[in-house]
Amino acid sequence: MKVARFHAPGDIRVEDAPEPVAGPGELLIRVRNCSTCGTDAKILKFGHHHIRPPRVMGHEIAGEVVTGTGAFEPGDRVQVIAAIPCGECGECKRGRMTVCPNQESMGYHYDGGFAEYMVVPAKVLAVDGVNRIPAGVGFAEASVAEPLACVLNGQELARVGPGDDVVVIGSGPIGCLHVRLARARGARRVILADLNPDRLEMAAVLVNPDAALHGDDVTEAVLKLTEGRGADVVITAAASGVAQEQALGMVARQGRISFFGGLPKDNPIIRLDSNLVHYRELTIVGANGSSPAHNKQALELIASGAVPVADLITHRLPLTDVLEGIDIVMRGEAIKVTVEP
Ligand SMILES: [Zn+2]
Ligand SMILES: [Zn+2]
């Protein structure tokens, strides 16, 4: 079968590999869609300390069961989690699976979905990490449940809710999902901002924010749009320390800031006015992937139509074009690129 394997930074190869075989307690699936995201671009450029090469990449996975186990039978349509909590540590036992210190990931510790066939490890099944795809939801849409699950985790932590004015900085696929989810959770107004006016335009046409802002005066514009209050929630969906610093200046009193996008490993330090946090009673939260339960909820949000994702999938490519797909992601020319092995 064909796979896309990471060998070293800058060296991802589409090559032949033997079809994997499911061991006891494992599932074998025929991958139908594995979508790409900014993380894949990061891995291509810099590698990742958790990846031991050669490794089949791809972590936004949907497919069809070939060899079943437990309740799963051949032909079942399934979506697979990306982040695998251990299920046994103190955090997992407290239900905080996104911060499990023993977390492993598909496409990092285990071969991922940029392949015609993939084994679902027993560890994934042990934490209920394989979800049946609801009727009416396609494989490509189902593959977007994983990033939507991460977005859901972020908005739960930032307590996005009815009546909130929400600013999303970054108009990539994650930013678009944030806009849609914030609306589904009852936000009053959702403002989308990006430095790249072309990408912002493409995203704004799809997700229709109340305002689309670009340029240097985003803070001023947000304050103006919110009658000087600032936004109840600011979400930075970009790997940008500048955006994180900006967020402090446009958030309302008792507002919440989600540092949703991580910063580059070699440049993670920002400057922020701690007195703003203190006197304005601000809350700053992080976000680290998603739990198996978030993936289930994300599939339901897609199936019910609360968060449509089909129109966000702008590019569909065969596995042989996976590098082109990652390149499109890096150039910011797509919303969601999905690979169909
Ligand atoms: Zn991803
Ligand atoms: Zn754990």
Side-chain angles (χ1 to χ4, degrees):
M1 67 167 184
K2 286 258 179 293
V3 300
R5 270 199 295 227
F6 173 89
H7 286 264
D11 184 9
I12 293 173
R13 297 177 210 165
V14 176
E15 52 196 7
D16 287 311
E19 269 178 35
V21 178
E26 296 177 335
L27 281 180
L28 180 70
I29 66 166
R30 172 76 178 87
V31 180
R32 291 299 175 193
N33 279 89
C34 187
S35 294
T36 61
C37 78
T39 306
D40 296 314
K42 247 194 274 180
I43 292 169
L44 170 60
K45 257 194 183 159
F46 305 110
H48 192 283
H49 61 287
H50 280 146
I51 296 186
R52 245 171 301 144
R55 174 66 69 212
V56 178
M57 290 175 57
H59 59 268
E60 302 183 359
I61 305 156
E64 222 169 315
V65 174
V66 176
T67 310
T69 186
F72 292 99
E73 289 178 2
D76 285 351
R77 298 173 348 112
V78 294
Q79 179 264 348
V80 183
I81 58 169
I84 313 162
C86 75
E88 286 165 5
C89 71
E91 302 308 335
C92 283
K93 287 223 167 93
R94 288 175 176 85
R96 301 172 186 162
M97 288 193 159
T98 54
V99 289
C100 169
N102 311 316
Q103 191 183 83
E104 296 184 317
S105 299
M106 297 303 295
Y108 294 67
H109 303 81
Y110 303 96
D111 281 340
F114 290 152
E116 289 174 64
Y117 294 90
M118 187 195 86
V119 167
V120 178
K123 274 190 145 179
V124 170
L125 289 147
V127 293
D128 200 15
V130 179
N131 299 307
R132 290 174 197 283
I133 300 173
V137 175
F139 288 113
E141 291 167 85
S143 74
V144 182
E146 192 278 330
L148 178 57
C150 300
V151 164
L152 178 58
N153 178 43
Q155 293 205 10
E156 280 181 1
L157 290 165
R159 306 191 311 276
V160 175
D164 283 338
D165 284 334
V166 178
V167 173
V168 178
I169 304 177
S171 65
I174 291 290
C176 288
L177 292 172
H178 270 299
V179 171
R180 288 226 163 124
L181 181 64
R183 287 222 195 280
R185 293 170 73 91
R188 179 169 165 244
R189 288 177 295 198
V190 187
I191 299 164
L192 185 59
D194 200 305
L195 289 173
N196 177 343
D198 295 334
R199 194 166 78 157
L200 180 65
E201 164 75 19
M202 180 169 52
V205 166
L206 284 169
V207 299
N208 195 26
D210 293 283
L213 307 173
H214 73 93
D216 301 326
D217 52 355
V218 168
T219 303
E220 226 170 285
V222 167
L223 291 174
K224 208 165 159 194
L225 283 162
T226 54
E227 299 84 40
R229 270 188 79 232
D232 299 288
V233 181
V234 179
I235 299 166
T236 61
S240 163
V242 173
Q244 293 184 348
E245 290 172 1
Q246 266 183 341
L248 266 286
M250 62 177 82
V251 74
R253 284 165 173 77
Q254 281 199 355
R256 290 88 71 199
I257 296 170
S258 168
F259 288 170
F260 188 87
L263 298 186
K265 250 201 166 40
D266 57 355
N267 192 16
I269 310 294
I270 62 166
R271 278 168 58 86
L272 64 82
D273 183 344
S274 151
N275 274 339
L276 287 178
V277 179
H278 174 76
Y279 289 111
R280 296 186 178 182
E281 300 188 350
L282 306 181
T283 305
I284 301 175
V285 296
N288 183 48
S290 60
S291 70
H294 287 127
N295 280 256
K296 271 188 187 26
Q297 291 163 33
L299 273 175
E300 284 160 18
L301 286 165
I302 294 168
S304 71
V307 180
V309 299
D311 59 341
L312 301 182
I313 300 162
T314 51
H315 295 67
R316 292 170 185 258
L317 301 173
L319 183 60
T320 42
D321 291 347
V322 66
L323 280 167
E324 167 66 6
I326 296 172
D327 205 49
I328 294 169
V329 170
M330 277 199 278
R331 295 200 303 263
E333 287 172 7
I335 300 296
K336 201 72 191 162
V337 180
T338 194
V339 170
E340 313 201 301

